[in-house]
Amino acid sequence: HRVSRDLSLFAYHFITFAKTQDATRPGTYRHTILYTSGYHAIILFLYNVTARCGRIQIDDWNMSHRLYQRIESIVHQISGQLNIFDKATRSTAKNRNSNNSPKYQPLSCNPNLRLYKYAKGQSFGRHFDGASDIQFVSGSPYSKANVKEAQTEMTVLFYLSSCRGGATRFHLPHGKNVFGGGNGKKKCNGFDGSVAFVPEEGAVLLHVHGDRCLEHEAEPVRDGIKYVLRTDVIFGIM
């Protein structure tokens, strides 16, 4: 899915932000990366503090919602196939089965936008992405009163450059086999239990996170520079 139109605006936001905050200061990186909670936060902490890449971030509801509008059709197309738990089923609202009943649905993208830069040889070790609770505040596309139990459900990666190497590789749980049957211990036509996507400028990759997140990593860049913008799809009851 192509998202090239706003690349110049991305650059403006992040260059401006970089002038006011040095994301490589000791301690800063460790603090800003911990946006999750529980078991997955520990895993992210252990890997991220040793991640070999550059990272800056900015909070921007306007930009994040514009990004969501660019991928909204894809999100709605695939979200029904992901078996994401429908929190609205716990609601006591009347007429739950009517068209006007509250639904747990995708609403926007996380305003916490994170830009990663990988130079030659840089990588990001195996990790899991955790889910984050979201509060809609002034300036966000929805009011806090109209949305309940909002949290992120999917990671979104916008690839802003192409490079050699630097693939995002997902590892299947032990014993799983995407070809069906068997115990997954043997290779099948060269399949080694993982799936990878090599960065391509203008592409976007989405994957579920939280309790059902697959362990994944960013492989070393062999040539060129890899830029990737990270955000998340927010779901909520509305």
Side-chain angles (χ1 to χ4, degrees), residues 13-231:
H13 271 291
F14 286 110
I15 290 173
T16 302
F17 179 76
K19 290 179 180 178
T20 61
Q21 176 171 325
D22 180 4
T24 62
R25 287 201 310 269
T28 302
Y29 188 77
R30 177 180 298 217
H31 172 73
T32 56
I33 197 69
L34 292 178
Y35 62 92
T36 62
S37 60
Y39 173 75
H40 292 308
I42 296 174
I43 295 176
L44 282 168
F45 172 82
L46 290 174
Y47 283 116
N48 288 355
V49 295
T50 59
R52 298 168 56 205
C53 63
R55 176 182 184 272
I56 57 175
Q57 68 177 23
I58 187 172
D59 288 327
D60 190 328
W61 271 112
N62 179 58
M63 175 59 72
S64 66
H65 195 61
R66 287 176 61 183
L67 289 172
Y68 175 73
Q69 291 174 326
R70 301 295 295 277
I71 63 173
E72 186 173 7
S73 61
I74 293 178
V75 171
H76 281 278
Q77 179 181 346
I78 67 174
S79 60
Q81 306 172 31
L82 299 178
N83 296 319
I84 293 175
F85 176 69
D86 185 0
K87 292 184 177 182
T89 60
R90 300 186 305 206
S91 173
T92 58
K94 296 181 179 179
N95 301 320
R96 185 182 301 160
N97 294 324
S98 71
N99 292 331
N100 296 323
S101 63
K103 297 178 181 178
Y104 189 61
Q105 57 190 302
L107 300 174
S108 189
C109 277
N110 192 344
N112 181 212
L113 303 174
R114 289 136 283 174
L115 180 67
Y116 294 86
K117 175 185 177 181
Y118 297 80
K120 184 177 180 180
Q122 291 187 319
S123 60
F124 200 124
R126 291 192 182 195
H127 63 284
F128 299 89
D129 295 346
S132 300
D133 294 331
I134 299 294
Q135 296 292 329
F136 286 101
V137 296
S138 176
S140 60
Y142 300 97
S143 68
K144 182 178 180 180
N146 293 334
V147 181
K148 297 180 179 179
E149 299 195 49
Q151 74 169 49
T152 63
E153 294 282 3
M154 290 186 234
T155 293
V156 185
L157 298 176
F158 292 96
Y159 295 90
L160 307 185
S161 65
S162 300
C163 64
R164 292 183 60 240
T168 302
R169 183 172 296 278
F170 295 87
H171 300 275
L172 295 182
H174 179 69
K176 297 293 184 180
N177 188 328
V178 294
F179 297 101
N183 57 20
K185 294 182 180 179
K186 296 181 179 179
K187 291 186 178 181
C188 181
N189 295 326
F191 180 72
D192 62 358
S194 67
V195 178
F197 175 77
V198 177
E200 180 182 346
E201 181 179 343
V204 58
L205 184 151
L206 299 91
H207 67 87
V208 292
H209 60 215
D211 292 339
R212 296 191 299 140
C213 183
L214 287 175
E215 185 180 28
H216 56 285
E217 62 182 314
E219 296 182 333
V221 172
R222 297 200 300 271
D223 190 38
I225 297 178
K226 171 184 172 182
Y227 288 99
V228 60
L229 180 71
R230 158 79 190 274
T231 183

